Each structure stands twice: as C-alpha cells, then as structure tokens.
Amino acid sequence: MKIWMNGRLVAEREAKVSVFDHGLLYGDGVFEGIRAYNGRVFMLDAHIERLYRSARAIALEIPMKPAALAEAVVQTCKANRTRDGYIRLVVTRGVGTLGLNPYSCSRPQIIIIAAKIQLYSPKLYAQGLKVVTAGTIRNHTESLSPCIKSLNYLNNILAKIEAINAGVEEVILLNPQGYVAEASGDNVFLVKGTQLVTPPASCGALEGVTRNVVMDLARADGMDVREAVLTRYDLYTADEMFLTGTAAEIIGVIEMDRRMIGAGRPGPKTLSLTSRYRRFAAGNGTPIR
Ligand code: PMP
C-alpha cells in the first residue's frame, strides 16, 4: 500500500510519525473518513470542507490549499488502484515539545491512507442493530464541539466500550442536557409517519456528510425532513430508526434499551433510503483518473 505523506507517496513501512507529534501525544489534530465507490471519490468536496472547518476551529492551519488536498486524495486512490474503498485523511498538529502548547509544533503532518472498511456484516444490515443508551455523555459543545472531527475520539471510544460490554453493536449518546446527540461514530435518524427527523448539530452531533445526503434524498422522495431536539422517548416510539455514516452507510436499528423499535426489523423507509443512497453513491463523485 502506498501512503501519501506531506506531498509524497511512500511505502507503508516508511509512513511514520514522530513520537513527539501532538497528534499522538494529545489527540491534537483533525481527520476525515471518505468512501470511494465505483472509481469515484464520494462527496470529496464536502469532506475537504469539513476538514478545513475542523482545523480552523482548533486553530490549525493546514499548509495546503483545499483543492490541492482534494487532488492528493484522488492521486492516492489512483496510486493504490482504489475503485471501492475507504480513505482516511489525517492532519496532525505536528512535532512539538512535551508541553501542550500547539504553537511549539513545527508543521502539521498530512496523511492519506486509501484502504478498505467493513463495519458490519451484511447480515446485520438485513436484520438491523441493537443499541443501548451510553452512560457516557457526548462532549459539551463548549468543551470539545462534536462538530469538530478531531483526533481525540476518547468520548466516542468510552461510549463504544459500553456497547461492546452490553453485548450490542452501538450506543446512543445523549448531550449534557439529556437530549439525543448521535451514535459513537454515526448520526441517528427516526422515521415517524412521513417525517424523517435527526438532531441538529447544536445538540451535540457531527454534521455528517452521509446525514446531509440522506436528508436530501428523503426530501426528493417527498418526505418531511426536519432537524429537531429529540429525547429517548421519541426514539422508543418511532416507526423506524437508523444510523448513518460514511463507513456504516445506512443501517437500521431494531432495538434500543430493550425496547423494540417499530416492527423489530429495518423498516420500509430505511430500506428504500438505503437503496437510493447506494444508487446515488455508485453514480456520483470525483473520478479517480
Ligand atoms: N458522528 C460521528 C461521531 C462520526 O465519527 C461520524 C463519522 N464516522 C459521523 C457522525 C458520520 O459522519 P459522516 O456521515 O460524515 O461519515
């Protein structure tokens, strides 16, 4: 595998970061997970834009223009003959001293990995996931905004540990006010009648690229799509529930906190949005030339 690092494609064993990189020492950096389908990078500009917003929010200046970084993603896919894959774009604060001061760091390290991902088995997509509510509260928007896709994912990891320990696949995190935020690595949606509802980013959700695509597809399909403050009651009593993310795509949720959601299997809207999403993703994106 060829890894893109700071402007060069290098062999995997040569792709190394310093032990003094603040990305390693403090989780100080930002990242994106991007999919390629059918020889195209899906929603590349949306991911690049979010990366630069995340970087700006942590006062990290990416030493490259967004268009050049987007092109580097395409070139990394090309070098790895990627047609369908998962791309990880990482920007660390760079090599610094052992103190926290980010301004001691020399230069951000930019890394692009073009690999594969399979989060859940095909069986789980057909059957749907079970989830529980995490005891771990999603980061307060004014401690570490969930809108920032930072390298510090401990909040999410602590929640994911709860899922694994509870014997289920995912967790739903609440925000400090007790409202639904998101899953550990995905956004959450509910269907109620003709309504499709997801929490606003201000409730502690990442503004997911998949989330936005799904909202557009549902609107085009005549659904009444809204962002709203949600409680667990709203999820327990929904007709359907599903999660969205670049890696997970769309996956139904059939049980939450031992309550059956809807009919206990992925619902018709979930399944129809899944096939719409697959079709859209297969035919759109930046060609890997
Ligand atoms: N929330 C969190 C915490 C995430 O890490 C992700 C991405 N894995 C998402 C939501 C979904 O975002 P996207 O659709 O842009 O991948």
Side-chain angles (χ1 to χ4, degrees):
M1 190 189 291
K2 288 255 187 285
I3 312 288
W4 191 99
M5 258 193 106
N6 305 316
R8 289 197 313 132
L9 281 160
V10 299
E12 193 178 324
R13 65 188 144 68
E14 285 167 38
K16 296 204 170 104
V17 291
S18 163
V19 293
F20 290 100
D21 193 306
H22 280 206
L24 172 71
L25 290 173
Y26 299 117
D28 186 353
V30 293
F31 78 102
E32 283 296 320
I34 309 169
R35 280 262 195 184
Y37 294 105
N38 211 13
R40 298 168 196 260
V41 184
F42 187 54
M43 301 301 289
L44 179 56
D45 290 344
H47 284 287
I48 294 287
E49 282 163 23
R50 187 172 64 189
L51 182 81
Y52 279 77
R53 287 200 301 274
S54 295
R56 183 173 286 243
I58 67 161
L60 188 163
E61 200 179 320
I62 300 175
M64 263 182 99
K65 291 260 187 308
L69 189 51
E71 179 58 22
V73 169
V74 171
Q75 290 312 316
T76 308
C77 290
K78 196 175 163 198
N80 288 285
R81 299 183 202 291
T82 303
R83 276 191 64 76
D84 294 276
Y86 178 80
I87 302 140
R88 182 56 62 89
L89 173 50
V90 182
V91 183
T92 75
R93 185 76 68 175
V95 174
T97 61
L98 288 178
L100 287 178
N101 183 358
Y103 301 112
S104 77
C105 299
S106 52
R107 193 181 161 80
Q109 298 289 297
I110 311 178
I111 300 158
I112 307 169
I113 308 164
K116 298 265 179 210
I117 201 162
Q118 162 105 58
L119 279 195
Y120 302 116
S121 66
K123 194 173 146 214
L124 271 178
Y125 284 90
Q127 291 182 349
L129 299 180
K130 295 180 177 175
V131 303
V132 293
T133 306
T136 305
I137 295 292
R138 189 74 177 106
N139 285 329
H140 192 289
T141 51
E142 297 308 320
S143 58
L144 173 56
S145 171
C147 290
I148 302 171
K149 203 163 165 60
S150 85
L151 291 182
N152 192 324
Y153 253 50
L154 266 179
N155 182 229
N156 315 59
I157 290 165
L158 291 176
K160 187 75 180 183
I161 287 170
E162 293 188 57
I164 297 161
N165 290 351
V168 297
E169 293 86 13
E170 251 300 346
V171 274
I172 299 299
L173 287 94
L174 307 180
N175 70 14
Q177 289 72 44
Y179 297 116
V180 173
E182 58 180 344
S184 72
D186 294 309
N187 290 111
V188 58
F189 282 85
L190 68 79
V191 175
K192 188 107 191 171
T194 59
Q195 289 192 344
L196 180 69
V197 194
T198 191
S202 58
C203 274
L206 180 73
E207 200 176 329
V209 171
T210 318
R211 167 189 187 272
N212 291 348
V213 170
V214 166
M215 289 166 88
D216 287 346
L217 290 173
R219 262 189 213 106
D221 195 30
M223 286 188 87
D224 171 13
V225 180
R226 293 191 299 124
E227 290 185 348
V229 175
L230 295 177
T231 63
R232 286 194 293 174
Y233 172 84
D234 299 316
L235 296 175
Y236 294 156
T237 58
D239 297 336
E240 300 180 33
M241 176 177 168
F242 61 83
L243 308 180
T244 66
T246 296
E249 302 172 306
I250 301 173
I251 188 156
V253 177
I254 54 157
E255 190 185 293
M256 176 164 169
D257 298 334
R258 294 272 176 114
R259 278 89 160 164
M260 200 204 311
I261 306 296
R265 58 185 120 80
K269 293 283 183 210
T270 304
L271 296 176
S272 103
L273 280 168
T274 303
S275 56
R276 274 166 204 283
Y277 182 81
R278 296 238 161 97
R279 222 175 307 135
F280 182 73
N284 285 276
T286 308
I288 301 166
R289 314 162 300 276

